[in-house]
Amino acid sequence: VEKLSINSRFNLVQFTRTYNVFNQEVVPATDDNKNAALNWLEEDFRTSGFGGGSGWVSGNDDGVQKVMRRVFEMQPDVIYLLSDGSFQKDDPTGKSSFGLQVSWDELVDDVEELQKGLAEPARLHFIAFGISGGDWKGARKLARRNDGKAKKFD
């Protein structure tokens, strides 16, 4: 954030199965906005793995697809997705309180559809941490299909 040029526009979105945004739209990378973003990361960023509380958006339709829809509404040029690659969503049958696993093919297809709503496709980079083999393959596929790169940290 600190190294963004004044010509850049940015936003931050933290997600689990729910999400929280730094700002409702992308904002210019002014010193004030960069400082506000760093303060948001310091004050509001959760490391517990559970989202909730002030500013967190949830509902019946949760999971990474909801987050991606919100991100694409912001009309981004570039997306950096940081994750362990384990994505769940609500079980519409209610049989599982832990949710259902989102398949990589489903996510790739959903992002492809979201790209159609942009004037120019957004480049999507995937930064993975603690990711397993099959999920790493999916992360690379998602990035590749969206003109991005995938990087893995153990």
Side-chain angles (χ1 to χ4, degrees):
V1 171
E2 295 162 320
K3 294 183 181 182
L4 290 171
S5 77
I6 189 68
N7 298 323
S8 299
R9 294 170 41 89
F10 76 102
N11 202 349
L12 304 169
V13 181
Q14 182 181 11
F15 73 97
T16 56
R17 283 173 48 186
T18 61
Y19 67 90
N20 189 12
V21 294
F22 158 64
N23 198 294
Q24 294 303 311
E25 300 299 327
V26 292
V27 295
T30 63
D31 287 340
D32 285 346
N33 286 337
K34 290 191 283 188
N35 288 333
L38 293 172
N39 186 59
W40 181 82
L41 287 170
E42 184 70 31
E43 300 292 323
D44 295 325
F45 192 83
R46 304 266 175 110
T47 58
S48 66
F50 296 99
S54 177
W56 284 84
V57 177
S58 62
N60 293 335
D61 176 26
D62 71 359
V64 68
Q65 290 104 325
K66 181 177 187 169
V67 174
M68 294 307 287
R69 283 193 299 273
R70 180 63 183 105
V71 167
F72 274 84
E73 287 173 3
M74 295 179 203
Q75 302 288 304
D77 294 325
V78 179
I79 299 166
Y80 291 91
L81 181 58
L82 288 69
S83 177
D84 64 0
S86 177
F87 300 122
Q88 293 79 34
K89 63 180 178 180
D90 275 345
D91 179 355
T93 67
K95 293 179 182 176
S96 172
S97 60
F98 296 107
L100 301 174
Q101 192 71 24
V102 176
S103 77
W104 283 100
D105 288 338
E106 181 182 355
L107 181 56
V108 168
D109 290 347
D110 288 349
V111 169
E112 183 178 312
E113 193 61 32
L114 290 167
Q115 290 280 23
K116 294 175 183 177
L118 300 178
E120 294 289 326
R123 179 171 287 155
L124 190 150
H125 301 287
F126 199 106
I127 301 170
F129 53 90
I131 196 167
S132 65
D135 287 331
W136 175 234
K137 182 178 175 184
R140 289 192 334 256
K141 178 180 178 180
L142 180 64
R144 242 187 353 265
R145 289 271 185 95
N146 292 281
D147 202 25
K149 295 182 180 176
K151 179 126 176 110
K152 181 178 179 181
F153 295 91
D154 289 321

